[in-house]
């Protein structure tokens, strides 16, 4: 490669780094002050692009100055939307558990995801390009897009302004103090609310700015929010949450390595990103410039009652349900049976997530990864190795637990929101690989025609029923076991766990792998049930579905995810008959759960019962 | 296990140094704890007492200096490894599991001590139940053993911490303000129990305590710290007579000295 080409690649990398920096620095700043990871950050980035598109379309067809003004105006509008979201929703969120904060901000992104196509339509939108910003310049014999240079300049200006604001203004002093010491924020008194609003607005403004600037490089499209938030998570995980320097260094690292990686090993780009993240986290679990987290944290389950042996009415209900499902084929037709199968698969998936979320107290946003790996293991095994039904079904949980071993090893090095972001980023990387590796996975078209000719639907129904009953029995049992007890100590009091000889990471990894094994089994079953596999099996949407199922039911016992999964599945099917704006409904549902119904159905009922008993 | 040096004390801390960012929380502290002896660390708020405990038990690895158990270095080892070498500890801010019963809190420590943690098929409720009950009887909490730990009074939580810390039959017991939040009678009772255990079982005890009467009546030796540094070490009589210690405790130094720490 010539020097010119190398330089051009390096500059392209720097331009990507500029976007990465602009997106992630906002995320990181907001976290530093409010301790909220704003999942909707990527969605605001996307809104920036769409608003920018509209403005430039109206006002800036010709000259560069009005183009830049439109970009800034778009960022201001997005910032204003962010401020409204902060005032209406986020204000109520600062005191609630991390899981609910993440879910609420994710709900905002769901709303945005569904509202944008209503306003702008589903097509990709290409902004008009101002002539003076188009074209390229020669650099040692290689061509370099001018716009990339402007991107770099824009990021540099923002960096400079941020630097001045943080080091030279009173507001910056507050920010630094609050980032350093969380208790300081409380001591700020009345100022605190406005500091939070200000920082949140600034963060969203920066996301909008990055989105609008991005218009000069790509079209505005509905997938850009998710990929932006994934990359931003990778950047802040590597750089360290709350650190501007960290965001800068990590953005340059990722931007450059992706750009040069594309030049040298185009297929390995995503794997490269994963390897960098793994390498950094192995050495510095809190990121390059992050501070180690304190071991103790207060968490959401401290008012949970001690575990009790499974009560007799509950055991009776479980047996009755099992009996009912055993005779169901006599009553239900093929369609009815397939619905029951789908519900059972959802139950196994939610049940496996419950183990991590409930007794484990770990918030994962990437559980679909193991479901998807199981599903693809079945599909690929049948397609390329001609596996039988039984052996493919064994392969699914095996493959999922192998992935869980590798990803889990990395993820359990961190906890809290870092764990959530990391599991999310890892799942997204797998999703992207599956999506892009067209030759093997069929990409977007998926793999279809998986139903083995020799398999009768009735046999499959009973296999699923047996596996579901077994899985739920095991997943419900583990919290009562020695491992489950140790797991709850790591959740409630990590410092105590270490002081009584419990290896916190190992216990968490163990539980993570067990849970993923069952998620993989669910995925494998779903590959057969549907007869096909698509990348959506791994998507963030599926992970969120799982979280909502568990939360709707409640995290205190295995009955929660079982009830929650059934309710969620039936509700989704019912609602989808009337509207395809499912994400809008789901977004509102999540916000409702978080604000009014945090204990879930089973949790609320058993709380009622306990209350009445003690009276 | 035979100690390397037959005369070496159970625990030796040498020139311990722990930093929190710019703060030197512990700066060159050395102390010894012999088997069967009670050693107290005293000093005003922020003196670095808890940090010493955390450095010894592995919760916060020291930046410099050495911690020797039976003459072998344990500095920088993980807390779970140090636990397995026979060190038990309590925390100043109690670290118990609110969502378990009192007995289960002790059971889970016993399960870990007996290396049964990674047994997904064993019911934890039945494991080491009698052993846990014996420990609870020792600290006088038999009546509370089935209550949820989250609803206990603070003093009871402190006692539970002691039972948990005894689960690994420790040779060295680290107790960070074990009686904070207790009534005076309760305090004396608990510390008398600790002194008895130390003598009977040959446990070396390192503790901090705000009640100066208890410190001076029970400790075999007292270590005085101030602002991260070692101020004096000696028998209660020597320490009582030390003018520098009196200065701190009579509050002449305006950076230090809280009322509750003044000797009565
Ligand atoms: N996690 C931490 N992060 C930063 N600084 C800390 C931390 N823990 C302790 N410090 C600082 O280290 C110093 C020693 O604190 P330490 O808790 O060891 O004191 P102490 O003697 O136990 O006080 P107390 O009587 O209040 O318990 C103090 O200046 C404290 O502010
Ligand atoms: Mg202390």
């Amino acid at each position: 490669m010539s020097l010119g080409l190398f330089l051009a690649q390096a500059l392209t990398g720097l331009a990507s780094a500029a976007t990465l920096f602009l997106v992630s620095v906002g995320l990181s700043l907001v976290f530093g002050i409010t301790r909220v990871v704003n999942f909707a950050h990527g969605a605001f980035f996307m809104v920036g692009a769409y608003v920018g598109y509209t403005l430039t379309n109206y006002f800036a067809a010709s000259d560069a100055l009005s183009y830049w003004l439109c970009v800034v105006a778009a960022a201001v509008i997005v910032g204003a939307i962010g401020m409204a979201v902060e005032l209406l929703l986020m204000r109520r969120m600062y005191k609630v558990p991390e899981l609910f904060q993440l879910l609420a901000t994710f709900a905002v992104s769901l709303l945005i995801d569904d509202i944008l196509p209503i306003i702008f339509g589903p097509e990709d939108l290409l902004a008009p390009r101002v002539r003076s910003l188009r074209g390229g310049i020669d650099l040692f014999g290689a061509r370099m897009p001018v716009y990339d240079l402007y991107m770099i300049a824009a990021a540099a200006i923002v960096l400079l302004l941020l630097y001045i604001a943080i080091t030279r203004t009173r507001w910056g002093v507050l920010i630094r103090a609050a980032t350093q010491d969380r208790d300081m924020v409380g001591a700020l008194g009345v100022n605190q609310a406005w500091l939070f609003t200000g920082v949140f607005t600034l963060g969203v403004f920066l996301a909008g700015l990055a989105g609008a600037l991005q218009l000069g490089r790509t079209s505005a499209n509905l997938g850009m929010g998710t990929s932006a938030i994934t990359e931003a998570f990778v950047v802040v995980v590597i750089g360290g949450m709350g650190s501007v320097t960290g965001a800068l260094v990590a953005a340059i690292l990722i931007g450059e390595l992706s750009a040069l990686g594309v030049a040298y090993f185009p297929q390995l780009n995503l794997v490269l990103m994963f390897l960098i993240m793994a390498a950094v986290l192995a050495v510095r679990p809190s990121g390059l410039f992050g501070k180690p987290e304190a071991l103790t944290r207060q968490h959401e389950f401290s008012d949970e009652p001690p575990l009790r042996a499974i009560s007799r009415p509950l055991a009776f209900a479980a047996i009755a349900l099992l009996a009912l499902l055993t005779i169901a084929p006599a009553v239900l037709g093929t369609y009815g049976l397939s619905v029951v199968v789908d519900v059972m698969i959802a139950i196994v998936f939610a049940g496996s997530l419950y183990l991590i979320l409930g007794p484990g107290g770990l918030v994962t946003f990437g559980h679909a990864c193991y479901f998807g790996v199981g599903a693809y293991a079945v599909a690929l095994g049948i397609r390329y190795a001609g596996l039988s039904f039984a052996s493919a079904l064994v392969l699914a949980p095996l493959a999922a637990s192998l992935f869980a071993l590798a990803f889990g090893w990395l993820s359990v090095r961190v906890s809290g929101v870092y764990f959530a972001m990391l599991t999310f980023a890892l799942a997204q990387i797998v999703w992207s690989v599956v999506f892009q590796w067209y030759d093997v996975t069929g990409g977007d078209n998926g793999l279809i025609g998986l139903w083995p000719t020799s398999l009768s639907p009735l046999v499959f129904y009973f296999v699923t029923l047996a596996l579901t009953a077994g899985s739920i029995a095991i997943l419900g049992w583990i919290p009562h076991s020695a491992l489950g007890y140790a797991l709850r100590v790591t959740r409630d009091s990590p410092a105590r766990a270490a002081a009584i000889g419990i290896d916190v990471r190992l216990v968490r990894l163990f539980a993570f792998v067990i849970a993923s094994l069952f998620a993989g089994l669910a995925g494998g079953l779903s590959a057969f049930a549907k007869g096909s596999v698509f990348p959506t099996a791994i998507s963030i949407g599926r992970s969120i579905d799982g979280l909502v199922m568990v939360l709707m039911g409640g995290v205190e016992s295995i009955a929660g995810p079982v009830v929650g999964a059934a309710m969620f599945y039936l509700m989704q099917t019912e609602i989808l008959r009337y509207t395809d704006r499912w994400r809008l409904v789901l977004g509102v549902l999540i916000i409702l759960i978080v604000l009014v119904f945090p204990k879930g159905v089973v949790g609320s009922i058993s709380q009622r019962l306990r209350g009445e008993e003690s009276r | 296990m035979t100690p390397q040096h037959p005369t070496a004390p159970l625990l030796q801390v040498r020139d311990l140094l722990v930093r929190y960012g710019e703060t030197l929380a512990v700066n060159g502290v050395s102390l010894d704890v012999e088997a069967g002896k009670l050693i107290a660390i005293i000093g005003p708020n922020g003196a670095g007492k808890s940090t010493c405990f955390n450095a010894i038990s592995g919760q916060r690895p020291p930046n410099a200096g050495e911690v020797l158990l039976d003459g072998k270095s344990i500095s920088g080892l993980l807390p779970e490894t140090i636990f397995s070498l026979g060190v038990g500890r309590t925390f100043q801010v109690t670290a118990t599991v609110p969502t378990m019963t009192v007995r289960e809190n002790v059971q889970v420590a016993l399960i870990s001590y007996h290396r049964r943690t990674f047994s997904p098929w064993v019911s934890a409720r039945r494991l080491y139940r009698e052993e846990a009950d014996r420990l609870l009887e020792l600290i006088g909490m038999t009546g509370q053993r089935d209550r949820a730990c989250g609803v206990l009074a603070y003093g009871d939580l402190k006692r539970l911490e002691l039972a948990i810390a005894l689960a690994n039959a420790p040779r060295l017991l680290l107790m960070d303000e074990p009686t904070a939040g207790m009534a005076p009678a309760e305090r004396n009772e608990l510390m008398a129990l600790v002194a008895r255990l130390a003598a009977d079982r040959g446990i070396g005890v390192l503790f901090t305590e705000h009640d100066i009467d208890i410190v001076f009546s029970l400790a075999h030796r007292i270590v005085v710290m101030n602002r991260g540094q070692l101020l004096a070490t000696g028998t209660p009589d020597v320490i009582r007579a030390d003018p520098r210690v009196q200065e701190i405790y009579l509050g002449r130094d305006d950076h230090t000295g809280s009322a509750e720490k003044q000797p009565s």
Side-chain angles (χ1 to χ4, degrees), chain A residues 477 480-482 485 492 496 499-500, chain B residues 83 95 99 104 112 120 122 124 161:
Chain A
W477 162 254
H480 295 267
S481 73
Y485 271 51
D492 290 343
R496 171 52 72 196
I500 57 172
Chain B
F83 166 87
T99 62
E104 286 171 339
S112 168
V122 186
E161 285 252 317

Side-chain angles (χ1 to χ4, degrees), chain A residues 206-226:
Chain A
L206 289 172
L209 185 68
L213 280 170
Q214 195 63 3
L215 274 181
R217 303 181 88 204
T218 61
S219 59
N221 62 76
L222 292 169
M224 69 198 296
T226 311

Side-chain angles (χ1 to χ4, degrees), chain A residues 58-77:
Chain A
Y58 273 113
F59 302 111
S62 54
D63 68 313
L65 180 66
S66 49
Y67 177 84
W68 295 121
L69 285 178
C70 287
V71 166
V72 174
V76 170
I77 292 174

Side-chain angles (χ1 to χ4, degrees), chain A residues 19-34:
Chain A
T19 312
L20 283 175
F21 170 72
L22 288 176
V23 179
S24 30
V25 75
L27 187 72
S28 194
L29 270 177
V30 170
F31 176 81
I33 309 297
T34 65

